[in-house]
Amino acid sequence: MMIIALSRFTIANDMTDEVRAAFRQRPHLVDEVAGFLGMEVMSPVDTPAEIWLVTRWRDEQSYRSWHHGHAYHESHTGIPKGLKLVPGSTEVRLFEVFAD
């Protein structure tokens, strides 16, 4: 059974280009984590400051181990300095994939 972690946040200040560049230049640390299957980063066409991350995991334990571990914190060191998010816009939801 695969797990999808869907993360969302909205940029409050004018740093959308910097955030997109940071994702494009990310060090790919999560790519080597046990259980990680892939990631896409996107924005709605009509709301470019809203960022959605879709990560795919072999199972929930793989995701939770990464999310609570050192690699998670290390992977966020590329966040642009001065970035501000819209309060309350950050959300992480886990989805169980039961059919494709």
Side-chain angles (χ1 to χ4, degrees):
M1 163 180 49
M2 183 170 57
I3 292 292
I4 301 288
L6 180 63
S7 306
R8 174 179 63 92
F9 62 88
T10 303
I11 301 164
N13 51 354
D14 192 26
M15 295 188 71
T16 301
D17 290 341
E18 291 87 342
V19 170
R20 287 177 173 221
F23 275 110
R24 286 185 193 109
Q25 299 164 11
R26 69 183 183 87
H28 293 265
L29 298 174
V30 69
D31 296 8
E32 302 303 319
V33 172
F36 177 77
L37 301 174
M39 176 172 82
E40 290 80 34
V41 184
M42 62 199 80
S43 293
V45 172
D46 61 347
T47 316
E50 188 175 311
I51 308 295
W52 291 71
L53 285 83
V54 178
T55 55
R56 297 180 311 282
W57 298 87
R58 183 180 58 233
D59 53 40
E60 186 175 349
Q61 183 57 44
S62 296
Y63 168 77
R64 293 204 182 277
S65 293
W66 170 77
H67 192 258
H68 296 292
H70 177 72
Y72 171 82
H73 297 289
E74 191 174 325
S75 70
H76 287 76
T77 59
I79 294 173
K81 303 294 184 228
L83 175 65
K84 298 200 183 320
L85 303 180
V86 171
S89 72
T90 302
E91 180 179 16
V92 177
R93 307 251 342 248
L94 296 182
F95 294 83
E96 177 183 307
V97 178
F98 59 86
D100 58 8

